[in-house]
């Protein structure tokens, strides 16, 4: 699980210290990897300062890996290490930078997908021995998943005190907000991510011990922590609600009825109706004010979607 430090969300720029801290990173497996990474940090800084367009920055970011051979490290995953460092840098920015910077970072990632050339001069190949191109975003999903695999219950059992829990909650909500925007921008191929998140959050009832820390990660994984999940659900509705609603309404969401849930539905759009009622109930329930307000916000997003669609 990655460790993040969120910058002040009201800030309009990223401080120089953020880039300096990344440039001072000590752990590189090969001198070429350090050179690549320093170039990438410099190009990201230039983009953030407005000195390069998204296309220009994406081209510059991808040249070190595009024009180089695979670093000779002697391992089976040598072809993915430089890519992983690049993705970790961009994911750090996505999570840590203020929310107002997320759209520009999404634009940069979309430009990276269009960058010419192959990974490590065509030496890095997929399972069919075809050279990786930037358009496939190789290993981005893996790095994202490695950094964000924990559920709220697994996160909270690692928090020693209330302050640590609050920090972890803020990071989790920001990560879910970013993930929803990545899905909306089609940088994640799985359209069902929004569906799966809302099903898991809103179609189950909290258990009596869910407010406690679980004894192990297996038990923690199934816990419901509404103060984490309801604000995150609001972000999923905000960014993906329109596409999700239309897909459910028109029977276009494959597997809509295959997800595990204690609730059964005859039509896909009935899920949307259920979620809205559930969120409304949570907004009027006995949870903390922040969670209630997040539920109310989510209901507002849902109503805006249905009003725009002219249905229901």
């Amino acid at each position: 699980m990655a460790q993040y430090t969120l910058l002040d969300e009201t800030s309009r720029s990223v401080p120089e210290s953020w880039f300096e801290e990344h440039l001072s990173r000590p752990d590189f497996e090969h001198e070429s990897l350090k050179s690549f990474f320093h170039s990438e940090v410099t190009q990201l800084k230039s983009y953030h300062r407005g000195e390069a367009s998204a296309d220009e920055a994406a081209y510059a970011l991808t040249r070190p890996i595009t024009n180089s051979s695979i670093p000779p490290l002697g391992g089976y995953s040598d072809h993915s290490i430089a890519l992983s460092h690049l993705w970790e840098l961009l994911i750090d920015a996505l999570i840590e930078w203020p929310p107002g910077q997320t759209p520009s970072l999404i634009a940069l990632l979309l430009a990276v997908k269009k960058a010419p050339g192959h990974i490590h001069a065509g030496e890095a190949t997929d399972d069919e021995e075809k050279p990786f191109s930037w358009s496939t975003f190789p290993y981005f999903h893996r790095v994202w998943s490695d950094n964000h695999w924990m559920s709220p219950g697994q996160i909270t059992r690692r928090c020693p005190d209330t302050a640590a829990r609050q920090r972890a909650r803020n990071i989790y909500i920001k990560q879910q907000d970013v993930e929803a925007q990545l899905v909306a921008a089609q940088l994640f191929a799985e359209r069902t991510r929004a569906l799966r998140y809302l099903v898991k959050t809103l179609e189950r009832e909290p258990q009596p011990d869910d407010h406690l820390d679980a004894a192990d990660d297996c038990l923690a994984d199934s816990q419901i922590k509404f103060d984490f999940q309801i604000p995150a659900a609001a972000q999923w509705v905000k960014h993906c609600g329109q596409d999700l609603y239309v897909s459910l309404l028109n029977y276009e969401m494959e597997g809509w009825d295959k997800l595990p849930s204690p609730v059964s539905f005859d039509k896909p759009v009935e899920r949307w109706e259920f979620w809205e009622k559930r969120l409304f109930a949570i907004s009027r329930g006995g949870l903390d004010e922040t969670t209630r307000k997040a539920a109310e916000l989510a209901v507002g997003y849902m109503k805006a979607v249905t009003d725009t669609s002219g249905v229901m």
Side-chain angles (χ1 to χ4, degrees):
M1 188 75 175
Q3 299 296 314
Y4 299 110
T5 300
L6 300 184
L7 299 178
D8 180 359
E9 64 177 22
T10 65
S11 176
R12 303 179 69 176
S13 63
V14 177
E16 183 72 20
S17 59
W18 190 93
F19 299 99
E20 292 175 352
E21 288 171 7
H22 282 75
L23 285 171
S24 65
R25 172 179 169 172
D27 55 333
F28 289 97
E29 302 85 343
H30 192 271
E31 190 62 30
S32 65
L33 295 175
K34 181 177 181 179
S35 175
F36 296 168
F37 190 75
H38 280 211
S39 174
E40 291 155 2
V41 173
T42 300
Q43 295 303 329
L44 180 60
K45 177 181 173 181
S46 177
Y47 175 63
H48 174 65
R49 300 289 188 248
E51 298 165 2
S53 67
D55 287 339
E56 291 168 340
Y59 185 84
L61 272 173
T62 56
R63 289 316 88 190
I65 295 175
T66 300
N67 296 333
S68 69
S69 294
I70 297 173
L73 305 177
Y76 72 93
S77 61
D78 291 358
H79 62 288
S80 67
I81 292 177
L83 273 172
S84 294
H85 291 333
L86 173 59
W87 299 144
E88 286 166 359
L89 170 66
L90 294 174
I91 290 170
D92 281 356
L94 282 164
I95 304 300
E96 296 189 341
W97 289 13
Q101 301 295 330
T102 305
S104 68
L105 290 169
I106 297 286
L108 178 60
L109 289 170
L110 289 169
V112 166
K113 286 198 73 170
K114 299 185 296 181
H118 294 100
I119 309 305
H120 288 307
E123 295 176 12
T125 58
D126 61 19
D127 293 339
E128 297 178 354
E129 300 300 319
K130 295 179 180 178
F132 278 126
S133 67
W134 290 100
S135 64
T136 62
F137 251 37
Y139 303 109
F140 181 85
H141 293 189
R142 186 188 73 182
V143 175
W144 182 270
S145 297
D146 286 348
N147 286 357
H148 309 128
W149 61 270
M150 286 190 196
S151 68
Q154 291 166 335
I155 293 170
T156 56
R157 67 185 299 266
R158 289 167 169 78
C159 296
D161 53 40
T162 301
R165 192 183 192 281
Q166 182 63 39
R167 287 193 298 271
R169 175 184 174 274
N170 292 341
I171 291 169
Y172 176 83
I173 294 168
K174 178 66 184 299
Q175 176 258 314
Q176 292 294 322
D177 174 51
V178 170
E179 185 168 332
Q181 293 186 64
L182 291 171
V183 171
Q186 299 182 11
L187 287 164
F188 280 129
E190 308 96 322
R191 289 178 66 205
T192 58
R193 280 178 179 257
L195 175 65
R196 285 187 277 118
Y197 192 87
L198 294 173
V199 167
K200 188 172 183 179
T201 299
L202 299 174
E203 294 182 12
R204 299 180 300 141
E205 292 291 340
Q207 298 303 302
D209 292 338
D210 278 0
H211 66 288
L212 303 174
D213 289 338
D216 55 48
D217 275 348
C218 183
L219 293 172
D221 186 47
S222 63
Q223 286 185 313
I224 293 176
K225 304 286 187 182
F226 273 153
D227 60 325
F228 280 62
Q229 290 163 282
I230 296 302
Q235 298 308 310
W236 279 102
V237 175
K238 176 182 179 181
H239 299 299
C240 301
Q242 183 71 43
D243 178 70
L244 179 57
Y245 175 70
V246 171
S247 298
L248 292 171
L249 185 66
N250 296 329
Y251 289 81
E252 295 171 350
M253 181 65 73
E254 293 184 9
W256 72 270
D257 57 345
K258 306 299 183 185
L259 299 175
S261 171
V263 188
S264 60
F265 305 94
D266 295 324
K267 297 187 297 183
V269 77
E270 289 177 357
R271 288 205 118 116
W272 182 273
E273 298 164 2
F274 179 88
W275 300 336
E276 186 173 342
K277 291 176 181 176
R278 185 76 193 279
L279 285 164
F280 180 80
I282 292 171
S283 74
R284 297 294 187 269
L287 299 173
D288 64 278
E289 183 179 4
T290 300
T291 302
R292 295 198 309 272
K293 285 183 177 294
E296 185 175 358
L297 188 64
V299 171
Y301 291 144
M302 297 186 82
K303 289 186 181 299
V305 166
T306 53
D307 290 346
T308 301
S309 303
V311 183
M312 294 174 58

